[in-house]
Amino acid sequence: MTSFHGRALTAALVLLLVGATAPAAAGPTAETTAPAVPAPAPVGSRSAGATDRVIVKFTAGAEPGPRARQRIYAEAAERIAPGGAAAGERAGTAPRLAEVSETVDEAKVVAAGELLGAEELAILTGALEEDPAVEYAEPDHLAGIAAVPDDPYYATSQWNLQPVPAGLGLPGAWDRATGSGQTVAVVDTGITPHPDLDANVLPGHDFVSLHAGGVQPGHSRDGDGWDPDPRDEGDYAGPGECGIGAAARTSSWHGTHTAGIAAARGNNATGVAGVAHGAKLLPVRALGACGDGYVSDIAVAIAWAAGEDVDGVPANPHPATVVNLSLGFLSSTCPASLQDGIDRALARGTSVVAAAGNHDRDARTESPANCRGVIAVAATTAHGARAGYSNWGRVTLAAPGGDPARQILSTADAGSSRPGGGTYTYKYGTSMASPTVAGVVALVRETDPSLSPAQVKEVLAATARPLPGACPGGCGAGLVNPRAAVARATLQEGYTAQGAIGALHARIGASTGAPRSHERCGLAQDGCYQEFERGAIYWSADTGARWVHGGVRGAWHRAGGVNGSLGYPRSGERGDGTGGVQQLFQRGAVVWSAGTGAAPVRGAIGARWSALGGATGPLGYPLGGERGGPAGGGAQQTFERGRVLWSPATGAQAVRGAIGRAHADLRGERGRLGYPVSPERRSGDTVTQRFQGGTIGYRHGAVTISYR
């Protein structure tokens, strides 16, 4: 087994905590005061089967746009309004249905804003399913009444975990996973005893090496270096101890706070619930006085937490599923030693989650967020926007981190310097967002323990949802979506492919991968389709079974899929001899190259392009789909080396080269020349092309224009 020589690393860079503490003047957000807990609503106060949400799945390739979907919801809701199918049951108007999120397979989660009874839900879902674009509609019973933990502060204060627009809707994920069997390592300031943590805490280790001399940033305060006691000794400091002119500070108990966010005990009728409240916590101390620590200590702490052998340190009997790093420092590159520790963790199957940083700058300038392989996490507010302090740009995704107005409640300690007993406090920062995602990683890994760190990262990115608010600079894939991530990880082998789709899968299974859904029918033209790991197979009586995937499938979906302008696929992908591919559909084709991506070609424009040689002809690959022309009709499509223009009066003609540039300079089809009425014609050394309003000629580098 490879030994990790942690003590040989250069102790050169100091790391700072990236969580911000609520200022003392923040009133109800004061750190040492737990919020008052109002009496809980009576259990069973809603009627049996009642819920305020439905799940609506639109047929693949036929999903209407946002406005059309809202019309479908409104018309269905009218069926349960007074005078509708449920007349006599309601006193008010029809509920206002609105999409609040998505779940697995891109199905929409639609909220009614009020509880609906079982009969109302039956009428509503039936009305939704009458629309031909809707594959199914069902009550969203996974709001998880049984899965909501009994921890008193969950219901009153943990907005970040609730099923609200800016929250994570964790009850929907907790119905399937709570982190059982997983270990979350918290590389931080250590941990203090706490009634909401103790039952989940495993034996950890202290990797703070600096212990000689007086108190200074990163000092261990426990009188020795590395030892098996990961207790937080307090990161308090006197005046000037954290830097020249620095003010005195009290202890933040940062590690205790981040640990509670990730995995505080759930359903223990105490305090808060962690994201993965069924997981175990592995405290690994690497930050000392002033909340600082050295890269050398951080790197070896990560590796040991993942199960790597470290010279002079007992082996870790509980290797972590995921390591959380709520810490950071400004650096345009990830230090080699830190990357080494992360690489060793990843190689052992341990995911590494890192806070993006609190400097409102590109996350590429901060480590470990910019280290290879980590899941970098930006922070969002209770309004669902990127927090103003949060770094942005090259991050994996975002999670609630709060802001001064609405912060994140978690476990803490009552002491101002030395530990004084467990309590709860509010903090905000990317330090709070990072353990949130670490907890979600534990949920995903409980669902499918075989997933590699790269696959876990892919699952989180693929299932993230758009932020409810703005994210200047970019927030990666979006807001982490625990329920969708767990649902995606649940998709295991076991689906079968049969019939014509199964026969094609048997021939090309190496390309498609394993089935990821049942066969679903009822599409346009009585067609069917089935999802696989890397795409889908579609079938219709006219075209048979055909495999569609990658960029070609994306372009086809944007064109409306089976209900769009192209219809069903009637061939597989075919190479064109120049590195690109083409796939034929009932009413056109989708063409792809590495340089241009995928775009559909169809109709008269597609026929003209094909007649000129297609991708190997003078126009090259399409750069996008058809677009409408000027008022009065017409269309145009742009290719690598020209355009094809069409109007009812002129048909489709190509314009390119010097003549095409001259035409464009004269406002193209919107100008005086209008649409082309002929192809280019050569006579000797002169090339001409006729347009509705005149002729463009080209000879010896000179362009001439004559108007009618």
Side-chain angles (χ1 to χ4, degrees), residues 7-77:
R7 293 182 187 274
L9 298 172
T10 303
L13 294 174
V14 175
L15 286 89
L16 304 176
L17 299 175
V18 287
T21 301
T29 62
E31 289 192 7
T32 57
T33 303
V37 183
V43 176
S45 58
R46 70 172 66 181
S47 60
T51 181
D52 64 344
R53 296 188 179 200
V54 294
I55 300 171
V56 183
K57 175 67 173 69
F58 289 93
T59 302
E63 180 178 309
R67 290 187 178 179
R69 297 200 302 273
Q70 195 57 51
R71 175 189 55 77
I72 292 170
Y73 303 147
E75 290 178 354

Side-chain angles (χ1 to χ4, degrees), residues 12 17 94 157 185 189 214 261 317 389 407 419-420 427 454 465 483-484 545 600 618 627 637 643 649 656 684:
L17 299 175
S157 305
T189 62
I261 293 171
Y389 57 78
Q407 306 182 33
K427 297 181 186 293
R465 63 184 176 93
R483 177 178 174 179
R627 293 188 296 169
Q637 188 166 5
R643 297 191 300 157
R656 65 186 186 91

